[in-house]
Amino acid sequence: MNAIIAVVDAALPNTIGVYWGGAPQGVAVPYAVLYPDVGMESPADRSLSDDVPNDLLFQVTSVGSTAEQAVLVADKVAAALLDAVPAVAGRRVRPIRHEGSQPVRRDDVSTELFFATAQFLARSEAA
């Protein structure tokens, strides 16, 4: 996951924060948060061997003070991720794919913020 965060962080301007697993309280807007799942063996390639691909699904939540700002952050994150091939020692990583998204909406907890979510897939296998 660190390699994916590095790809996003390097592509975004310093005015957009990038965080893992949650944003610190009081952080400046706009920002993006990456939420990884635990990763899993690819269901398409299951076997008794450790050489099967590993799928890492993750979500990016893009946050802004307006709907337009949240969408702008989401677009910048997607541009950084799509077809990116993060470098991971001992792994051959395939290009990252977009798996789905939801429309931008107002945050129910903080009516001052808007957010958009998108899910991505990074698949890798032993090098």
Side-chain angles (χ1 to χ4, degrees), residues 3-102:
I4 294 169
I5 291 171
V7 166
V8 175
D9 199 33
L12 297 183
N14 291 339
T15 56
I16 301 174
V18 178
Y19 305 98
W20 181 87
Q25 187 148 1
V27 68
V29 177
Y31 59 88
V33 181
L34 284 72
Y35 295 97
D37 78 1
V38 294
M40 59 185 241
E41 213 176 70
S42 170
D45 299 307
R46 292 191 192 273
S47 74
L48 298 176
S49 166
D50 288 336
D51 295 332
V52 297
N54 179 277
D55 287 350
L56 175 63
L57 294 166
F58 61 98
Q59 176 172 296
V60 178
T61 300
S62 301
V63 179
S65 57
T66 64
E68 294 81 7
Q69 191 177 51
V71 169
L72 176 66
V73 173
D75 286 347
K76 288 184 179 299
V77 170
L81 287 172
L82 291 178
D83 296 325
V85 182
V88 179
R91 305 291 299 172
R92 183 173 43 251
V93 182
R94 298 179 191 177
I96 294 175
R97 298 188 331 217
H98 179 249
E99 293 288 297
S101 58
Q102 293 78 42

